[in-house]
mmCIF file of all heavy atoms in Angstrom:
data_model
loop_
_atom_site.group_PDB
_atom_site.id
_atom_site.type_symbol
_atom_site.label_atom_id
_atom_site.label_comp_id
_atom_site.label_asym_id
_atom_site.label_seq_id
_atom_site.Cartn_x
_atom_site.Cartn_y
_atom_site.Cartn_z
ATOM 1 N N GLU A 369 141.020 154.089 277.413
ATOM 2 C CA GLU A 369 140.329 152.850 277.937
ATOM 3 C C GLU A 369 141.333 151.967 278.695
ATOM 4 O O GLU A 369 141.284 150.735 278.492
ATOM 5 C CB GLU A 369 139.888 152.132 276.624
ATOM 6 C CG GLU A 369 138.798 152.839 275.798
ATOM 7 C CD GLU A 369 138.358 152.052 274.676
ATOM 8 O OE1 GLU A 369 138.797 150.912 274.382
ATOM 9 O OE2 GLU A 369 137.336 152.574 274.030
ATOM 10 N N GLY A 370 142.057 152.667 279.681
ATOM 11 C CA GLY A 370 142.950 151.821 280.511
ATOM 12 C C GLY A 370 144.302 151.424 279.846
ATOM 13 O O GLY A 370 145.080 150.922 280.586
ATOM 14 N N ILE A 371 144.502 151.740 278.570
ATOM 15 C CA ILE A 371 145.818 151.482 277.969
ATOM 16 C C ILE A 371 146.641 152.636 277.849
ATOM 17 O O ILE A 371 146.174 153.751 277.509
ATOM 18 C CB ILE A 371 145.482 150.932 276.556
ATOM 19 C CG1 ILE A 371 144.525 149.765 276.459
ATOM 20 C CG2 ILE A 371 146.786 150.458 275.866
ATOM 21 C CD1 ILE A 371 144.898 148.585 277.208
ATOM 22 N N PRO A 372 147.848 152.564 278.299
ATOM 23 C CA PRO A 372 148.799 153.780 278.232
ATOM 24 C C PRO A 372 148.764 154.430 276.932
ATOM 25 O O PRO A 372 148.896 153.745 275.894
ATOM 26 C CB PRO A 372 150.123 153.188 278.619
ATOM 27 C CG PRO A 372 149.800 151.955 279.453
ATOM 28 C CD PRO A 372 148.596 151.335 278.879
ATOM 29 N N ALA A 373 148.732 155.797 276.891
ATOM 30 C CA ALA A 373 148.856 156.496 275.668
ATOM 31 C C ALA A 373 149.968 157.483 275.747
ATOM 32 O O ALA A 373 149.818 158.664 276.108
ATOM 33 C CB ALA A 373 147.509 157.327 275.542
ATOM 34 N N ARG A 374 151.173 156.882 275.435
ATOM 35 C CA ARG A 374 152.359 157.775 275.558
ATOM 36 C C ARG A 374 152.439 158.813 274.702
ATOM 37 O O ARG A 374 153.180 159.874 274.996
ATOM 38 C CB ARG A 374 153.720 156.744 275.309
ATOM 39 C CG ARG A 374 153.924 155.872 276.396
ATOM 40 C CD ARG A 374 155.138 154.850 276.092
ATOM 41 N NE ARG A 374 155.458 154.142 277.100
ATOM 42 C CZ ARG A 374 154.837 152.810 277.405
ATOM 43 N NH1 ARG A 374 153.832 152.410 276.815
ATOM 44 N NH2 ARG A 374 155.338 152.089 278.439
ATOM 45 N N GLU A 375 151.738 158.823 273.523
ATOM 46 C CA GLU A 375 151.664 159.967 272.535
ATOM 47 C C GLU A 375 151.177 161.175 273.283
ATOM 48 O O GLU A 375 151.310 162.343 272.856
ATOM 49 C CB GLU A 375 150.839 159.619 271.299
ATOM 50 C CG GLU A 375 149.363 159.385 271.544
ATOM 51 C CD GLU A 375 149.044 157.853 271.823
ATOM 52 O OE1 GLU A 375 150.133 157.122 272.206
ATOM 53 O OE2 GLU A 375 147.945 157.439 271.893
ATOM 54 N N ARG A 376 150.465 161.089 274.280
ATOM 55 C CA ARG A 376 149.819 162.250 275.150
ATOM 56 C C ARG A 376 150.850 162.718 276.186
ATOM 57 O O ARG A 376 150.613 163.843 276.754
ATOM 58 C CB ARG A 376 148.520 161.762 275.811
ATOM 59 C CG ARG A 376 147.318 161.443 274.997
ATOM 60 C CD ARG A 376 146.170 161.154 275.833
ATOM 61 N NE ARG A 376 144.950 160.784 274.989
ATOM 62 C CZ ARG A 376 143.830 160.416 275.424
ATOM 63 N NH1 ARG A 376 143.679 160.342 276.877
ATOM 64 N NH2 ARG A 376 142.765 160.206 274.760
ATOM 65 N N MET A 377 151.861 161.941 276.448
ATOM 66 C CA MET A 377 152.788 162.268 277.500
ATOM 67 C C MET A 377 153.910 163.110 276.947
ATOM 68 O O MET A 377 155.038 162.862 276.860
ATOM 69 C CB MET A 377 153.302 160.941 278.142
ATOM 70 C CG MET A 377 152.263 160.067 278.747
ATOM 71 S SD MET A 377 152.842 158.517 279.384
ATOM 72 C CE MET A 377 153.936 159.030 280.749
ATOM 73 N N VAL A 378 153.502 164.439 276.778
ATOM 74 C CA VAL A 378 154.405 165.422 276.307
ATOM 75 C C VAL A 378 154.123 166.678 277.183
ATOM 76 O O VAL A 378 152.912 166.886 277.666
ATOM 77 C CB VAL A 378 154.190 165.819 274.845
ATOM 78 C CG1 VAL A 378 154.539 164.583 273.939
ATOM 79 C CG2 VAL A 378 152.785 166.257 274.559
ATOM 80 N N LEU A 379 155.169 167.499 277.471
ATOM 81 C CA LEU A 379 155.000 168.697 278.233
ATOM 82 C C LEU A 379 156.185 169.592 277.968
ATOM 83 O O LEU A 379 157.288 169.191 277.796
ATOM 84 C CB LEU A 379 154.920 168.395 279.791
ATOM 85 C CG LEU A 379 154.216 169.239 280.616
ATOM 86 C CD1 LEU A 379 152.737 169.346 280.374
ATOM 87 C CD2 LEU A 379 154.297 168.712 282.137
ATOM 88 N N SER A 380 155.986 170.989 278.013
ATOM 89 C CA SER A 380 157.026 171.929 277.778
ATOM 90 C C SER A 380 157.042 172.707 279.133
ATOM 91 O O SER A 380 156.110 172.832 279.969
ATOM 92 C CB SER A 380 156.700 172.819 276.674
ATOM 93 O OG SER A 380 155.527 173.523 276.793
ATOM 94 N N PHE A 381 158.325 173.238 279.425
ATOM 95 C CA PHE A 381 158.638 173.906 280.533
ATOM 96 C C PHE A 381 159.281 175.301 280.265
ATOM 97 O O PHE A 381 160.112 175.386 279.436
ATOM 98 C CB PHE A 381 159.408 173.109 281.560
ATOM 99 C CG PHE A 381 158.806 171.849 281.882
ATOM 100 C CD1 PHE A 381 158.980 170.696 281.063
ATOM 101 C CD2 PHE A 381 158.080 171.758 283.096
ATOM 102 C CE1 PHE A 381 158.458 169.571 281.498
ATOM 103 C CE2 PHE A 381 157.547 170.535 283.471
ATOM 104 C CZ PHE A 381 157.721 169.300 282.653
ATOM 105 N N ASP A 382 158.903 176.412 281.010
ATOM 106 C CA ASP A 382 159.587 177.700 280.904
ATOM 107 C C ASP A 382 160.621 177.838 282.103
ATOM 108 O O ASP A 382 160.259 177.340 283.266
ATOM 109 C CB ASP A 382 158.679 178.827 280.932
ATOM 110 C CG ASP A 382 157.859 178.830 279.732
ATOM 111 O OD1 ASP A 382 158.423 178.734 278.606
ATOM 112 O OD2 ASP A 382 156.487 179.037 279.941
#
Side-chain angles (χ1 to χ4, degrees):
E369 298 182 353
I371 305 299
R374 288 177 174 83
E375 64 273 15
R376 296 182 179 179
M377 297 176 66
V378 298
L379 207 58
S380 62
F381 300 86
D382 292 313

